[in-house]
Amino acid sequence: YLTFTLREKEWSLALDALNSLIDLRVGLGGKSNKDGEVDVQALVVIVEALVSENQMAHLIPPDETKIAGTDERSIAIKKNNFLRRKLGTLFRRIKAECKSDANVWKIFSVYFKCFKDRESYRDCLIRRVRALQVPDWERDESKAGRVCKAVIETVKAYRQDSESLPSLKAQATNLLETTIERVEEFPELVASLQV
């Protein structure tokens, strides 16, 4: 069902299908065996579509000959806002049930960045870093490299927003210093963290 709704670009139904899929994976007991797995590929397709449709809706010129709210642009914007609310509901559910999938946090960080929700964007970035910090990550160079890449992206976002929120600069510095301490046995990674 999910594949069909994605292929037919029925985004509202696809969001419903993702919710149902999470229900099935969580089970009747209300607790997930595997941290509420999410179909990451389906989520990517939906988020990309919503971002693209939002950008396209705002490019449609308003039609002055129609009654306000009935022109193509207004209808497209209303549809996109409805889908964004539905995705927001799914996101809150994922946030509560799927804490350890770094890919999910990356997808949502892209979404929030596109819609200029800086606070949610930063929250997703830091959650992605935490999800990547699996046990003994600092002893495996490839895992440490993924964490460092996510830390760099997070620190840049925090520093960009630190003018309006000065406390973010201290948080960014703390995150960077902590990460450098934990990967000091990989000099290339330490050098990459000098942002």
Side-chain angles (χ1 to χ4, degrees):
Y1 180 70
L2 178 59
T3 304
F4 173 77
T5 59
L6 292 172
R7 186 176 48 231
E8 296 301 315
K9 298 180 181 179
E10 291 290 341
W11 309 125
S12 180
L13 295 175
L15 288 167
D16 291 342
L18 269 176
N19 262 313
S20 297
L21 196 55
I22 292 173
D23 287 339
L24 289 172
R25 290 183 176 161
V26 169
L28 298 175
K31 292 190 178 180
S32 172
N33 296 339
K34 291 190 167 189
D35 194 20
E37 294 175 355
V38 175
D39 189 324
V40 174
Q41 283 104 2
L43 194 56
V44 166
V45 170
I46 293 169
V47 167
E48 284 179 351
L50 291 181
V51 167
S52 174
E53 284 187 14
N54 182 65
Q55 292 166 346
M56 293 304 292
H58 289 284
L59 292 177
I60 300 170
D63 187 348
E64 306 295 332
T65 63
K66 298 211 175 190
I67 299 171
T70 61
D71 62 301
E72 186 180 350
R73 179 178 191 223
S74 296
I75 292 169
I77 290 172
K78 285 178 187 174
K79 177 184 174 192
N80 193 266
N81 287 339
F82 169 74
L83 292 171
R84 284 182 59 198
R85 282 192 304 276
K86 237 178 156 170
L87 183 63
T89 302
L90 178 65
F91 172 66
R92 285 188 291 283
R93 184 163 185 209
I94 289 171
K95 195 174 179 179
E97 296 178 15
C98 309
K99 297 178 180 7
S100 66
D101 190 337
N103 293 322
V104 168
W105 298 118
K106 176 65 178 171
I107 294 165
F108 277 115
S109 72
V110 169
Y111 173 78
F112 287 120
K113 184 177 182 181
C114 288
F115 286 102
K116 297 180 180 21
D117 183 343
R118 300 295 297 174
E119 184 177 348
S120 296
Y121 170 60
R122 289 189 312 270
D123 180 55
C124 289
L125 290 175
I126 200 69
R127 286 174 183 270
R128 178 174 176 232
V129 169
R130 289 183 191 133
L132 288 169
Q133 292 175 331
V134 295
D136 297 327
W137 66 269
E138 65 273 4
R139 291 190 181 97
D140 180 324
E141 190 170 7
S142 67
K143 289 178 184 175
R146 286 192 295 276
V147 169
C148 289
K149 188 175 177 182
V151 164
I152 290 167
E153 184 179 359
T154 304
V155 166
K156 285 180 180 177
Y158 272 53
R159 285 184 177 162
Q160 184 180 1
D161 295 344
S162 66
E163 286 182 26
S164 58
L165 297 165
S167 64
L168 292 178
K169 189 171 185 177
Q171 292 174 17
T173 302
N174 185 36
L175 176 63
L176 201 54
E177 289 172 354
T178 304
T179 306
I180 289 172
E181 287 174 15
R182 294 188 70 184
V183 297
E184 59 188 17
E185 63 185 77
F186 302 113
E188 323 77 55
L189 295 177
V190 172
S192 75
L193 289 169
Q194 306 302 323
V195 292

